[in-house]
Amino acid sequence: DAEIMALAGVNALRTYEPVTDTEVLDALWEKGIFVLNTVYVNAADSIDTVVERMTAVIDHPAVLMWVVGNEWNYNGFYQKLKLEAARGLLRDAARKGRSVDS
């Protein structure tokens, strides 16, 4: 798929699940494709997974930035959280991420 994306002119992609497989990141990097890597998307996951997911690939050159949440204000982090609770969770997840990579 990396070859097809490169031929189509894709230079960055956003994930909806964490990519911690360095072989996948290597294949994208070889084609000049950066990754906006989602590290927290579901409130059922512990906030600590943010650090685990980030540190797994923090030094990989394909990782352009980290993404926290996916339409969290609409889907309540897939756990039907109210807006204020979702906002607080987003803030906490972002703080965890900044503790590892600022």
Side-chain angles (χ1 to χ4, degrees), residues 1-3 5-6 9-17 19 21 24-38 57-67:
D1 291 349
E3 178 69 27
M5 288 187 279
V10 172
N11 63 2
L13 65 89
R14 182 208 188 249
T15 66
Y16 288 91
E17 291 291 331
V19 175
D21 184 337
V24 171
L25 293 172
D26 289 344
L28 293 166
W29 182 243
E30 287 174 15
K31 299 297 179 186
I33 300 172
F34 288 98
V35 177
L36 289 72
N37 202 0
T38 297
V57 293
I58 197 163
D59 292 324
H60 199 287
V63 176
L64 179 63
M65 64 183 287
W66 310 109
V67 178

Side-chain angles (χ1 to χ4, degrees), residues 65-81:
M65 64 183 287
W66 310 109
V67 178
V68 176
N70 175 46
E71 299 179 351
W72 58 270
N73 57 326
Y74 172 73
N75 64 31
F77 277 104
Y78 300 103
Q79 298 301 312
K80 299 181 182 178
L81 296 178

